[in-house]
């Protein structure tokens, strides 16, 4: 029995799919499948019921997976304990960030940390929320910056800031002179949204009822397009294809007279998201987490409201 095999069975139990689990573990599916079969043969039990489009965990398999999760977490804790007598700010910190935050937060964050804690370089990874949580559980990441709501995770969480949403449109759009826009207004417009898998898409659909109605196949917006990134969508809007909703920090200057886009805030109460940092409860480098939180607070992101915090004990 190896820790790698335990990591594989935990991944399959969470994904309920061998292919998705292999992707989360960054291995080929045959490699993962062979390793799990080897573990089942060694233990003399069946951990998963194969068949159909979804894999299910056997009752005994669920108990073994739960124990494997504890073993993996304690293994990560052992590695961290070995560093306790050293400077918690010394050495790399593996930080994950979701796609709709990374391009706007990471440049000032990395610069700030180089200036304040040069002995703690960041190893960065951008990914989807569910992928970052999986990497946190497996000990592949030390912390991750994401947006609420999060699925059941069991992590320590510290709020960082609240970020309102805004509407972006071509500069020559009839609404360009407006002071504010309501979600109701958007039902008659062609809207450009991020594709499935991006949590920001889900947040926009949740806080903008007219978009959610369209998404559910009702009588809302008549047309929509999906993009792979906020920057791709921004260029599509500039070309006159439609409108979009953006997080406020993605716009450095709401009143740029030379830009191709016009940005208009929502009518109060403006939809928004809360951005947080998450880390394993067993992670012992609390001073490193505090350094990240402090650095985020000093990034001066446009239009966001920082959340007060106290340094971890």
């Amino acid at each position: 029995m190896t820790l790698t095999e335990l990591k594989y069975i935990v991944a399959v139990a969470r994904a309920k799919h061998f292919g998705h689990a292999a992707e989360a573990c960054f291995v080929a599916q045959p490699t993962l499948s062979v390793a799990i079969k080897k573990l089942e043969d060694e233990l003399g039990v069946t951990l998963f019921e194969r068949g159909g489009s979804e894999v299910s965990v056997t009752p005994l398999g669920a108990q073994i997976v739960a124990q494997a999760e504890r073993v993996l977490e304690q293994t990560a804790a052992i590695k961290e304990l070995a560093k306790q007598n050293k400077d918690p700010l010394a050495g790399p910190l593996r930080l994950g960030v979701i796609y709709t935050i990374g391009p706007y937060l990471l440049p000032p964050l990395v610069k700030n940390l180089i200036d304040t804690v040069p002995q703690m370089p960041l190893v960065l990874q951008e990914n989807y929320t569910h992928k970052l949580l999986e990497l946190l559980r497996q000990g592949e990441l030390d912390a991750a910056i994401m947006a609420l709501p999060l699925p059941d995770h069991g992590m320590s969480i510290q709020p960082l800031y609240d970020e309102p949403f805004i509407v972006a449109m071509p500069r020559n759009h009839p609404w360009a002179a407006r002071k504010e826009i309501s979600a109701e207004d958007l039902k008659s417009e062609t809207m450009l949204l991020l594709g499935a898998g991006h949590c920001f898409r889900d947040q926009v659909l949740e806080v903008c009822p007219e978009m959610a109605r369209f998404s559910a196949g009702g009588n809302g917006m008549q047309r929509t397009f999906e993009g792979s990134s906020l920057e791709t969508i921004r260029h599509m809007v500039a070309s006159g294809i439609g409108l979009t909703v953006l997080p406020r920090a993605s716009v450095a200057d709401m009143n740029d007279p030379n830009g191709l886009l016009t940005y208009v805030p929502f009518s109060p109460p403006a939809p928004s998201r809360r951005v947080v940092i998450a880390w394993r409860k067993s992670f012992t480098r609390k001073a490193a987490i505090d350094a990240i939180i402090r650095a985020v607070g000093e990034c001066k992101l446009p239009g966001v409201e920082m959340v007060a915090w106290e340094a971890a004990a």
Side-chain angles (χ1 to χ4, degrees):
M1 185 187 307
T2 67
L3 292 175
T4 298
E5 291 166 351
L6 297 184
K7 183 171 71 172
Y8 289 168
I9 66 171
V10 169
V12 171
R14 287 175 178 155
K16 294 182 171 53
H17 190 281
F18 278 84
H20 295 164
E23 182 182 351
C25 294
F26 303 102
V27 298
Q29 181 174 337
T31 300
L32 179 138
S33 298
V34 168
I36 291 178
K37 185 63 170 65
K38 173 179 173 293
L39 179 60
E40 288 180 322
D41 291 343
E42 178 182 343
L43 297 176
V45 300
T46 299
L47 300 175
F48 302 104
E49 296 290 349
R50 286 103 164 151
S53 59
E54 188 172 282
V55 175
S56 60
V57 187
T58 65
L60 179 57
Q63 297 179 49
I64 292 174
V65 167
Q67 185 63 39
E69 289 178 323
R70 290 191 287 270
V71 170
L72 291 173
E73 183 169 340
Q74 289 303 313
T75 300
I78 289 172
K79 294 179 180 179
E80 294 301 327
L81 285 171
K83 303 175 184 177
Q84 278 189 341
N85 291 329
K86 301 178 181 179
D87 181 359
L89 297 177
L93 183 86
R94 299 167 298 175
L95 179 68
V97 187
I98 58 174
Y99 291 116
T100 57
I101 292 176
Y104 319 109
L105 174 62
L106 289 180
L109 177 63
V110 171
K111 183 178 186 303
N112 181 288
L113 289 170
I114 290 174
D115 292 339
T116 57
V117 281
Q119 73 274 32
M120 189 184 79
L122 292 182
V123 178
L124 300 169
Q125 178 168 158
E126 287 185 283
N127 218 315
Y128 298 106
T129 297
H130 70 279
K131 294 280 191 182
L132 295 179
L133 285 172
E134 184 72 27
L135 293 171
L136 275 175
R137 294 187 185 103
Q138 295 175 359
E140 300 296 325
L141 286 176
D142 300 318
I145 296 176
M146 299 170 284
L148 298 180
L150 297 177
D152 184 35
H153 51 79
M155 300 287 166
S156 293
I157 294 289
Q158 170 61 48
L160 297 173
Y161 57 85
D162 294 321
E163 179 178 25
F165 301 160
I166 57 175
V167 180
M169 64 193 70
R171 181 162 290 280
N172 61 355
H173 193 278
W175 294 353
R178 285 196 183 186
K179 298 298 182 182
E180 58 187 36
I181 291 175
S182 69
E184 175 75 15
D185 294 331
L186 300 178
K187 68 180 181 180
S188 62
E189 293 294 309
T190 297
M191 299 300 299
L192 283 67
L193 303 175
L194 285 171
H198 288 275
C199 64
F200 183 68
R201 171 196 172 92
D202 299 332
Q203 291 155 4
V204 170
L205 291 177
E206 180 179 353
V207 299
C208 298
E210 293 304 331
M211 288 184 173
R213 191 180 306 162
F214 171 83
S215 180
N219 296 319
M221 298 176 299
Q222 297 304 305
R223 294 182 295 164
T224 188
F225 293 89
E226 295 183 357
S228 59
S229 73
L230 290 181
E231 295 310 307
T232 298
I233 289 176
R234 203 191 304 254
H235 286 292
M236 293 170 70
V237 172
S239 70
I241 295 176
L243 279 62
T244 195
V245 175
L246 297 174
R248 177 62 182 85
S250 70
V251 180
D253 183 359
M254 290 275 286
N255 302 305
D256 181 5
N258 299 315
L260 297 176
L261 299 178
T262 294
Y263 304 100
V264 181
F266 277 95
S267 306
S272 64
R273 64 178 178 180
R274 170 155 287 192
V275 175
V276 303
I277 184 169
W279 66 94
R280 291 184 308 281
K281 293 179 180 178
S282 59
F283 187 61
T284 59
R285 295 174 63 191
K286 296 300 193 303
I289 300 296
D290 289 345
I292 296 292
I293 297 171
R294 188 178 297 109
V296 170
E298 295 173 356
C299 284
K300 309 301 182 186
L301 295 175
V304 309
E305 182 177 348
M306 305 307 301
V307 177
W309 69 284
E310 293 183 1

